[in-house]
């Protein structure tokens, strides 16, 4: 073990701990999203916007955003190895970003749908939306015998998506409304963060100082936005608000910096672990320092919250990296790696079950009650684990989203 610790150099290909931690954050996202808030301990759920603090749910999403950034160097380098030019890769980045924005906005608007004006039950509209998403973005097998069938499925999905968008109505009969961008939804935030990190790495490559400089820029942008120094950009906020706020990019870029460190050749384990630990502690200290001026608030997207989350993510990741990639102990947790490789499927597939159960009145979520906190928490843990298994099972029958 000592020899591996001292002499082993990390490979340039993707390392196991990246997929495993992404899978773990997905598991926790499914868990906290399923929690019945009145019936569980407050430290598990989101802290109120104006409160200075954070619970488990306030770290989970930035933990996933951090992993999005970590994966970028491997994804870009993989495409370059296939001979793709920078312009082709940038085209893929734009297309993937737009796909995430579109899906995010459509899902975000589900709760706004007025069934009477739309002419369709909300649950049914949502189910058809998810079916269309899977038909369009499913990673179909490379089997030339069924290419026409796969193309037909994609066309059906596109038609379904267009029809669902056209019939969508919100508001009231007196003041009907259509789809709105709003805050872009969870997937939209991921899309903007991915765009910032992927574009940065495409331009800066392995130049670590350049990647750090862009990360610091977004941290300063987040601070400037919080103290209203950027009001002259308000006209861009409806579209570019996520980037201009600096908050989401500052989290994803933190992951990009660590991913760049991790993917560098001739980087020894011991030195790498010490660097990431130092970065993590530095982020925590900066977060608590910024707390003197900005409360720790996920809802407000404060820089103190972002930096504390980055610090937590770095320290959790480096522990996993040491256990999985240095010591080689990963089989006990490898199912999370399988889920991490299919992150979009793992995140979206459970929603279909929700809407089917709600639409048909199936009492599957009996554990959502206030009498027993143990039952409420245990039920959501079982649900999250079952959904990880569900996503893995879907991948085995070639149902796997890929943007």
């Amino acid at each position: 073990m000592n020899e591996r610790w001292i002499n082993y150099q990390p490979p340039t290909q993707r390392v196991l701990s990246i997929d495993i931690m992404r899978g773990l954050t997905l598991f926790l996202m499914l868990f906290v999203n399923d929690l019945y808030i009145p019936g569980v301990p407050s430290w598990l759920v989101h802290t109120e916007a104006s409160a200075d603090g954070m619970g488990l749910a306030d770290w989970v999403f930035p933990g996933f955003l951090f992993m999005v950034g970590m994966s970028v160097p491997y994804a870009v380098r993989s495409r370059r190895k296939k001979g793709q030019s920078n312009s082709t890769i940038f085209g893929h980045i734009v297309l993937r970003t737009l796909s995430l924005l579109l899906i995010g906005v459509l899902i975000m608007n589900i709760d706004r749908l007025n069934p009477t004006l739309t002419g369709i039950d909300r649950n049914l509209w949502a189910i058809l939306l998810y079916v269309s998403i899977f038909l369009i973005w499913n990673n179909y097998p490379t089997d030339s015998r069924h290419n026409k069938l796969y193309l037909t499925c994609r066309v059906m999905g596109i038609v379904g998506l267009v029809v669902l968008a056209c019939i969508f109505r919100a508001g009231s009969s007196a003041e009907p409304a259509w789809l709105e961008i709003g805050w872009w939804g969870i997937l939209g935030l991921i899309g903007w963060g991915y765009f910032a990190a992927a574009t940065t790495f495409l331009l800066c490559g392995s130049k670590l100082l350049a990647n750090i400089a862009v990360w610091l820029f977004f941290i300063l942008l987040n601070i400037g936005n919080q103290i209203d120094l950027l009001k002259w950009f308000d006209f861009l906020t409806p579209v570019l608000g996520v980037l201009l706020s600096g908050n989401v990019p500052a989290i994803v870029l933190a992951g990009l910096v660590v991913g760049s460190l991790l993917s560098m050749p001739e980087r020894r384990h011991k030195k790498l672990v010490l660097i990431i630990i130092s970065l993590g502690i530095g982020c925590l200290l900066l977060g608590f320092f910024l707390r003197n001026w900005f409360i720790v608030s996920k809802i407000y997207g404060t820089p103190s919250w972002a930096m504390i989350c980055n610090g937590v993510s770095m320290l959790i990741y480096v522990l996993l990296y040491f256990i999985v990639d240095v010591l080689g102990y990963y089989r006990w947790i490898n199912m999370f790696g399988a889920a991490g490789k299919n992150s979009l499927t793992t995140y979206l597939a459970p929603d279909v079950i929700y809407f089917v159960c709600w639409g048909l009145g199936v009492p599957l979520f009996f554990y959502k009650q206030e009498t027993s906190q143990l039952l409420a928490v245990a039920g959501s843990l079982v649900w999250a684990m079952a959904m990880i298994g569900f996503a893995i099972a879907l991948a085995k029958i070639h149902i796997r989203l890929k943007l």
Side-chain angles (χ1 to χ4, degrees):
M1 184 186 77
N2 290 337
E3 185 177 349
R4 289 189 69 191
W5 170 248
I6 295 172
N7 297 322
Y8 180 79
Q9 295 177 353
T12 55
Q13 70 267 21
R14 197 189 203 109
V15 292
L16 291 175
S17 54
I18 291 179
D19 288 323
I20 289 174
M21 179 150 170
R22 188 190 298 106
L24 278 171
T25 56
L26 280 166
F27 168 76
L28 291 173
M29 284 174 72
L30 294 173
F31 168 61
V32 298
N33 288 344
D34 187 68
L35 287 172
Y36 184 63
I37 294 176
V40 300
S42 59
W43 62 269
L44 287 175
V45 298
H46 293 294
T47 304
E48 293 292 330
S50 58
D52 181 19
M54 55 186 288
L56 174 64
D58 295 312
W59 169 77
V60 171
F61 180 55
F64 182 81
L65 287 175
F66 178 84
M67 298 312 298
V68 169
M70 279 201 67
S71 302
V72 165
Y74 298 93
V76 172
R77 285 172 179 167
S78 175
R79 290 187 172 275
R80 281 176 174 162
K81 285 181 180 178
K82 294 176 183 177
Q84 294 185 9
S85 64
N86 281 353
S87 58
T88 301
I89 297 173
F90 182 70
H92 169 76
I93 292 170
V94 171
L95 182 61
R96 191 179 190 191
T97 300
L98 292 176
S99 298
L100 287 167
L101 295 179
L102 174 62
I103 298 172
V105 167
L106 289 170
I107 292 175
M108 182 200 70
N109 277 274
I110 292 174
D111 289 338
R112 297 181 58 248
L113 183 142
N114 184 318
T116 302
L117 296 180
T118 305
I120 185 174
D121 177 75
R122 180 184 288 111
N123 293 313
L124 179 56
W125 190 91
I127 292 168
L128 294 174
L129 170 64
Y130 281 97
V131 170
S132 298
I133 289 170
F134 274 86
L135 286 174
I136 297 171
W137 284 284
N138 187 53
N139 186 25
Y140 293 102
T142 54
D143 186 349
S144 58
R145 294 175 300 171
H146 300 101
N147 282 345
K148 290 184 179 179
L149 174 62
Y150 302 149
L151 178 60
T152 301
C153 288
R154 282 204 168 94
V155 171
M156 289 174 58
I158 293 171
V159 171
L161 213 62
V162 171
V163 170
L164 290 170
C166 288
I167 67 173
F168 178 93
R169 291 295 181 275
S172 63
S173 55
E175 296 183 358
W178 195 53
L179 296 165
E180 66 176 27
I181 292 176
W183 56 281
W184 295 99
I186 292 293
L187 293 182
L189 297 180
I190 293 172
W192 282 120
Y194 164 76
F195 179 79
T199 304
T200 297
F201 191 79
L202 191 65
L203 296 174
C204 301
S206 300
K207 298 175 182 176
L208 187 60
L209 290 180
N211 289 322
I212 292 174
V214 178
W215 177 31
L216 293 176
F217 167 76
F218 279 111
I219 294 173
L220 293 174
L221 198 62
N222 191 194
I223 294 172
N225 181 268
Q226 290 286 318
I227 58 178
D228 293 329
L229 287 181
L230 306 175
K231 284 188 174 181
W232 55 84
F233 289 125
D234 281 352
F235 69 99
L236 296 173
T237 299
V239 177
L240 301 178
V242 178
L243 293 178
L244 293 174
S245 74
N247 185 258
V248 168
I251 296 171
V252 183
L253 264 293
L256 175 66
V257 169
V258 174
S260 299
L261 278 169
L262 197 68
S263 63
M264 289 175 65
E266 301 179 0
R267 176 69 67 187
R268 298 180 185 274
H269 274 312
K270 185 175 181 179
K271 188 174 182 180
L272 181 63
V273 167
L274 291 175
I275 290 174
I276 298 175
I277 289 175
S278 300
L279 275 174
I281 293 173
C283 286
L284 288 175
L285 292 175
L286 179 57
F288 283 108
F289 175 71
L290 291 172
R291 194 182 180 196
N292 290 308
W293 300 277
F294 310 99
I295 63 170
V296 178
S297 174
K298 174 184 185 293
I299 305 302
Y300 291 154
T302 58
S304 53
W305 168 75
M307 297 311 297
I308 289 173
C309 287
N310 285 338
V312 172
S313 298
M314 290 177 187
L315 294 179
I316 292 176
Y317 175 75
V318 78
L319 176 61
L320 268 178
Y321 174 72
F322 179 72
I323 294 172
V324 172
D325 293 298
V326 177
L327 301 182
Y329 299 140
Y330 60 87
R331 293 179 183 176
W332 59 282
I333 203 172
N334 206 33
M335 68 173 297
F336 293 110
K341 291 177 182 177
N342 301 292
S343 56
L344 193 56
T345 308
T346 304
Y347 182 71
L348 291 184
D351 286 355
V352 180
I353 299 178
Y354 277 127
F355 288 113
V356 169
C357 290
W358 293 335
L360 299 178
V362 179
L364 180 62
F365 306 103
F366 62 90
Y367 53 89
K368 293 178 180 290
Q369 40 70 54
E370 298 181 48
T371 306
S372 171
Q373 287 190 344
L374 179 61
L375 177 59
V377 173
S380 292
L381 282 172
V382 172
W383 164 263
M385 188 61 71
M387 292 304 98
I388 293 289
F390 180 49
I392 293 173
L394 288 177
K396 291 181 178 178
I397 58 174
H398 304 294
I399 298 178
R400 176 176 176 264
L401 292 172
K402 185 178 181 180
L403 302 186

